[in-house]
Amino acid sequence: MRRPLPLLPALAAVLLLTACGSERAGTQNGGVGASGSTPRTQVTQPAVDGVRITSVTIPSASASPSASDGGLVKAERLPTGPAADSGISAAYEVTNSGTEALTYTVRFDFTTSAGEVMSNERVTVRSVGAGRTVRGTVRPGEFVPGSSPVTTVKVGEVTKVPADEAPTEAGVCPPSGVRVSADDGDAAMGLRVVGLILENCGDRDYTVDGYPQVTLLDEDHEPVDGVKIFKGSGGISTVTGFDDPPRPVTLKPGERANAGLMWRNTTGFGTAVDVPYVRVRARSDAEPVMVTPHLDLGTTGKLGVSPWRSTPE
């Protein structure tokens, strides 16, 4: 069985790009960064799952930034303050060496010399065609006043899903008329719960009856073996709504439903299982959507799925 790479579920910021050959894309958080007088350092660090930082701009009062042994960029005595005033930015490129169009979500870490993360920005690069490269620029979010200076920018983590299975961005309704997404999840004493959200963004009623259909996938988007999926809690824990009997839920345009995934990440004998991708169908005839909640299942081998239920207004 393959061992998937760990991921983070939260999306801090989104940049929407479309691949078409080798392109120059827009800049996150507005603007390219520093002026022409600010030093920009070229970077030769290796790509992380097809994503590579090509240059970094970090203004310094006393020294120009330079590449470290690990390919990261560092400088001394950098200014603090809001990112819009700092001039810090990183140019990057995303190259799809696969055989199908992919949508990438990338976490970029802006850290201090001690490794403290001052800002981690998530960028979504949509529909990068096979053999294509998309380029863009990312800037950090606003820093807390008096925070330590940023000296390093690097690629943190990368997820990539087939472009035709990627969750649609806010404000865009797919042809199916429904949007499926996953929330940031909740954790308490080893218990993990991630919510699945179904939104009717179309112009007609949409009915679901029962449980969402889920398939657990590894880093290569292949099915994960050794995990039993239960309708309901499966005895994992007592959580409100998980063992309610399923019933039809009809969503009018603009209404939502939710379901949940529940597991424990405890470990014992056996091999721990991490699941980076989950393919979700709202009902049997629905188009699949691949979400990235990172199910760190430990060695329990159990996942509970709750039925769809209406989301209160």
Side-chain angles (χ1 to χ4, degrees), residues 17-89:
L17 307 174
T18 302
C20 182
S22 178
E23 302 178 0
R24 171 65 60 179
T27 302
Q28 185 196 22
N29 291 341
V32 174
S35 65
S37 61
T38 302
R40 170 167 291 194
T41 298
Q42 299 300 312
V43 180
T44 58
Q45 67 188 73
V48 178
D49 286 338
V51 181
R52 187 173 71 88
I53 294 176
T54 57
S55 67
V56 173
T57 300
I58 303 182
S60 173
S62 62
S64 297
S66 59
S68 68
D69 291 340
L72 309 181
V73 173
K74 298 186 177 182
E76 301 299 330
R77 295 179 58 189
L78 305 180
T80 58
D85 299 329
S86 72
I88 299 172
S89 65

Side-chain angles (χ1 to χ4, degrees), residues 276-294:
Y277 302 101
V278 179
R279 179 176 281 129
V280 180
R281 284 183 168 86
R283 60 190 191 190
S284 60
D285 63 345
E287 293 295 323
V289 176
M290 196 178 296
V291 297
T292 57
H294 180 203

Side-chain angles (χ1 to χ4, degrees), residues 125-150:
V125 186
R126 293 189 176 273
S127 300
V128 182
R132 304 288 185 169
T133 295
V134 167
R135 298 181 177 89
T137 304
V138 61
R139 301 183 67 192
E142 185 173 343
F143 300 133
V144 176
S147 59
S148 300
V150 167

Side-chain angles (χ1 to χ4, degrees), residues 85-141:
D85 299 329
S86 72
I88 299 172
S89 65
Y92 63 87
E93 63 181 24
V94 178
T95 300
N96 179 4
S97 59
T99 58
E100 64 177 336
L102 298 173
T103 288
Y104 292 73
T105 298
V106 186
R107 194 192 79 229
F108 293 95
D109 293 339
F110 295 78
T111 69
T112 67
S113 58
E116 181 182 6
V117 177
M118 306 310 295
S119 177
N120 53 15
E121 303 300 319
R122 282 191 174 269
V123 174
T124 296
V125 186
R126 293 189 176 273
S127 300
V128 182
R132 304 288 185 169
T133 295
V134 167
R135 298 181 177 89
T137 304
V138 61
R139 301 183 67 192

